[in-house]
Amino acid sequence: MLRVSPRQRPRLIEIIRNLAKRIAEARTNGWLGEVQGLQVSLTKAKEKLVALDRTLERIRSTGQGGPTDLRMPIITKPRSGPA
C-alpha cells in the first residue's frame, strides 16, 4: 500500500470533492457503470484520507514521525577474545 504524504492532504480532499461531482454528473446522464466505478474510487480515496488523518494524529500525540523503535540492541563492533 502506498502512503500519502501529509502535504498532499489538500489535494486528496480536492480529489474526493471532484469524484463526488463526477458521480452526480454520471447519475444525471444515466451512466450507471461510470457511477459504480467512481463510487469505488471515492470509497478508496476516503479510506486514504482516514488513514492519513490517523497517521497525523499519531504523530501529533506521540511526537514520533519516524520508524518504530523495536528496542533492539545495536552492535557496533565484534567482541574480541574467546567466546
Side-chain angles (χ1 to χ4, degrees), residues 7-41:
R7 290 178 284 165
Q8 295 301 317
R9 189 179 190 283
R11 176 74 177 124
L12 188 54
I13 291 171
E14 181 183 333
I15 289 169
I16 290 169
R17 287 184 186 143
N18 181 271
L19 284 166
K21 288 178 186 177
R22 290 174 59 195
I23 289 170
E25 178 186 9
R27 281 195 178 124
T28 300
N29 292 314
W31 303 332
L32 301 181
E34 187 74 10
V35 169
Q36 189 176 26
L38 290 169
Q39 285 176 329
V40 170
S41 296

Side-chain angles (χ1 to χ4, degrees), residues 71-80:
R71 303 285 181 207
M72 299 289 289
I74 298 173
I75 300 172
T76 55
K77 61 182 178 177
R79 293 182 184 178
S80 59

